[in-house]
Amino acid sequence: RFERLGLRIVAMKLMRVDEDLASRHYAEHRNMPFYPELISFITSGDVVAMVLEGESAVAAVRKVMGKTNCLEAAPGTIRGDFGLGITQNLVHGSDSPQSAAREISLFFPELGGT
C-alpha cells in the first residue's frame, strides 16, 4: 500500500517492543486513561517497524492508515480494513515530521537520527 503511493521503505525490522521503549514511544499519552492499554498492546507481540520516505510522506502514510478510530476509518484504509479499536490499532504512524524524527531515533537508533 505504501509503495503504491510512491513511498520508499528505507528501513524495516521485525521486533518486540519492551516496556521501556513502549513508554518512551507513548510518553505524550502517559497521563491518559488509555495509556496502560496502549503499553499492553504494543508489548503483546511482534511489531514491524518501518521508515518510509517520499513526497509528503507523513500525510501519505496517514491517508493510507485511515482515521485512528477504525469505526470511522474508510474502507480500503489499513485501519478501516483491519482495525480492532482505538488502542488495539493495527498500525501507527507519526503525526508530523518532528514526531517521525523522534520515533525513528527510538526504533532505528542505528540510522543516526535520520
Side-chain angles (χ1 to χ4, degrees):
R1 291 180 192 217
F2 298 120
E3 289 176 311
R4 282 192 301 243
L5 284 179
L7 299 174
R8 187 171 80 83
I9 299 171
V10 175
M12 180 168 59
K13 64 182 167 184
L14 178 68
M15 62 186 294
R16 292 290 294 230
V17 176
D18 62 24
E19 288 202 27
D20 178 60
L21 177 56
S23 67
R24 289 184 288 137
H25 176 60
Y26 286 125
E28 69 273 14
H29 300 303
R30 184 161 290 147
N31 295 319
M32 302 301 284
F34 55 83
Y35 177 78
E37 193 174 350
L38 284 176
I39 299 300
S40 176
F41 185 66
I42 198 170
T43 60
S44 68
D46 292 335
V47 169
V48 175
M50 291 192 303
V51 177
L52 300 163
E53 71 176 18
E55 184 77 26
S56 303
V58 170
V61 167
R62 296 188 71 75
K63 184 173 183 172
V64 170
M65 289 188 321
K67 292 189 177 188
T68 302
N69 183 340
C70 63
L71 299 176
E72 297 172 0
T77 64
I78 295 171
R79 290 173 175 158
D81 292 348
F82 303 108
L84 300 174
I86 292 176
T87 53
Q88 294 185 340
N89 204 324
L90 183 67
V91 65
H92 168 83
S94 304
D95 62 4
S96 69
Q98 296 78 18
S99 292
R102 183 183 72 79
E103 292 172 353
I104 290 168
S105 72
L106 290 173
F107 287 88
F108 294 91
E110 65 275 14
L111 295 180
T114 298

